[in-house]
């Protein structure tokens, strides 16, 4: 197995880091790796904001529901969907780009671009021996995040990426069965097959938790996910995105 695949397969989210800032060189390697990702029609519809300011990191940690590792890490990146520069380009080139920029399609393009770039960044960091944890918790209050990071209209902060030298390793979390995720030629939706695969996976996840918590926790994956989905969260998002003049048509 080559080193790239080994790095990818060795992924786990890490949440304890040394108090050791990333070097400028490490930051540059991670960001240029992010930028090397493929991008829809070459649009490059994302931005990355590195947060070094201690007060800002503290505030972001609070917004994210007091997640300590948002504050205590080697570097904190915020990945944003970004169609601001494209608005400026439209003005510069005197073209009516607004209807396109405000479409759901272009919003999706920006989300996809930002996510592909982020995953490149994550793998680059992991390949340098660093640990990473994505932080969707910043979406608890994007108005505050926006003010803190001074993002203009048509820029939506999506998630953070905490990176640092790990002090505590965690175990890898088993994923869904291969055949449950990978379909050939057509989507397999035989519900009996579906449910039996999920049952096997539930057993696997349940024993994963049981082993790691000395029997204190043994939740099934389907229960975990249904419980999570049973609660509405961040329902302000559509309004927030539209207020920022994206996803309007
Ligand atoms: C977009 C995104 C947002 C996430 N947000 C958080 C977060 O706010 N806090 C956290 O501790 N983990 C967060 N995670 C990490 C997931 O919980 C983790 O990837 C998942 O449980 C699988 O575990 P693993 O990454 O160790 O394999 C996030 C992951 C992604 C992809």
């Amino acid at each position: 197995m080559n080193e790239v695949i080994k790095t990818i397969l060795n992924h786990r989210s890490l949440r304890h880091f040394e108090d050791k800032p990333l070097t400028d060189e490490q930051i540059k390697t991670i960001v240029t790796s992010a930028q090397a990702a493929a991008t829809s029609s070459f649009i490059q519809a994302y931005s990355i904001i590195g947060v070094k300011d201690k007060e800002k990191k503290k505030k972001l940690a609070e917004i994210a529901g007091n997640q300590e590792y948002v504050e205590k890490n080697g570097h904190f990146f915020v990945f944003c969907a970004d169609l601001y520069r494209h608005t400026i380009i439209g003005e510069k080139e005197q073209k009516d780009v607004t209807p396109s920029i405000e479409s759901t399609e272009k919003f999706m393009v920006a989300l996809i671009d930002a996510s592909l770039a982020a995953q490149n960044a994550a793998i680059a960091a992991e390949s340098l021996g660093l640990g990473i944890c994505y932080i969707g918790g910043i979406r608890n209050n994007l108005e505050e995040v926006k003010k803190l990071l001074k993002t203009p209209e048509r820029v939506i902060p999506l998630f953070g990426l905490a990176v640092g030298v790990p002090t505590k390793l965690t175990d890898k979390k088993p994923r869904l069965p291969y055949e449950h995720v990978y379909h050939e030629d057509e989507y397999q939706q035989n519900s009996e097959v579906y449910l039996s695969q999920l049952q096997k996976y539930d057993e696997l996840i349940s024993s994963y938790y049981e082993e790691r918590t000395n029997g204190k926790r043994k939740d099934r994956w389907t229960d975990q996910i249904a419980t999570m989905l049973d609660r509405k969260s961040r329902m302000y998002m559509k309004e927030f995105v539209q207020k920022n003049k994206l996803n309007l048509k």
Side-chain angles (χ1 to χ4, degrees):
M1 197 185 290
N2 72 42
E3 293 304 313
V4 178
I5 307 286
K6 272 192 211 158
T7 299
I8 291 172
L9 294 181
N10 199 34
H11 162 77
R12 73 254 356 236
S13 296
L14 297 177
R15 297 176 174 88
H16 297 92
F17 304 106
E18 278 180 23
D19 183 15
K20 187 177 174 196
L22 261 57
T23 63
D24 288 344
E25 197 188 338
Q26 283 173 319
I27 294 171
K28 198 153 190 191
T29 303
I30 291 169
V31 173
T32 47
S33 298
Q35 288 190 270
T39 157
S40 187
S41 309
F42 202 23
I43 191 168
Q44 307 184 71
Y46 60 90
S47 285
I48 306 164
I49 303 174
V51 188
K52 284 186 172 169
D53 183 282
K54 287 203 166 80
E55 279 308 306
K56 287 193 183 188
K57 283 174 90 168
K58 197 169 169 204
K59 188 83 186 83
L60 286 170
E62 280 167 26
I63 292 170
N66 298 314
Q67 299 194 57
E68 230 191 4
Y69 35 97
V70 174
E71 191 182 348
K72 297 182 178 160
N73 50 53
H75 201 66
F76 193 72
F77 299 93
V78 176
F79 283 81
C80 306
D82 184 351
L83 286 155
Y84 171 71
R85 68 174 65 89
H86 307 83
T87 310
I88 308 272
I89 290 169
E91 284 162 19
K92 174 181 169 302
E93 299 293 330
Q94 296 177 359
K95 295 246 165 35
D96 182 17
V97 296
T98 303
S100 176
I101 282 179
E102 292 182 348
S103 68
T104 297
E105 164 62 12
K106 285 296 174 288
F107 181 52
M108 285 174 71
V109 159
L111 297 178
I112 294 166
D113 261 22
S115 303
L116 295 180
Q119 186 56 15
N120 258 21
I123 293 170
E126 289 178 330
S127 78
L128 296 171
L130 299 165
I132 66 110
C133 188
Y134 280 99
I135 304 292
I138 65 162
R139 291 197 308 279
N140 287 340
N141 191 342
L142 282 185
E143 277 304 348
E144 279 297 310
V145 175
K146 236 181 125 58
K147 268 191 229 150
L148 210 61
L149 305 180
K150 299 196 166 63
T151 55
E153 249 175 18
R154 298 200 169 123
V155 174
I156 307 288
L158 298 175
F159 46 79
L161 187 69
V163 181
V165 179
T167 53
K168 209 158 108 187
L169 294 184
T170 50
D171 291 314
K172 270 174 63 171
K173 272 191 191 165
R175 296 302 201 245
L176 283 163
Y178 175 86
E179 39 315 325
H180 193 76
V181 170
Y182 179 65
H183 307 243
E184 260 177 8
D185 296 327
E186 59 181 307
Y187 194 98
Q188 291 301 328
Q189 49 173 318
N190 178 321
S191 64
E192 270 175 40
V193 175
Y194 223 82
L195 286 170
S196 92
Q197 289 168 341
L198 286 175
Q199 189 181 337
K200 276 203 203 110
Y201 187 56
D202 271 346
E203 285 161 16
L204 180 67
I205 290 295
S206 190
S207 53
Y208 168 88
Y209 284 129
E210 196 172 5
E211 268 172 39
R212 278 149 194 86
T213 60
N214 288 327
K216 278 187 210 131
R217 188 179 165 186
K218 39 183 164 183
D219 19 339
R220 292 170 292 114
W221 184 75
T222 51
D223 178 39
Q224 194 185 105
I225 297 305
T227 304
M228 185 258 292
L229 295 175
D230 193 33
R231 288 190 298 261
K232 290 183 181 164
S233 72
R234 303 171 188 154
M235 297 304 286
Y236 73 95
M237 204 56 75
K238 186 176 176 187
E239 201 183 318
F240 175 83
V241 169
Q242 294 189 335
K243 202 169 125 192
N244 279 278
K245 301 220 176 116
L246 291 171
N247 194 27
L248 288 164
K249 305 167 180 115

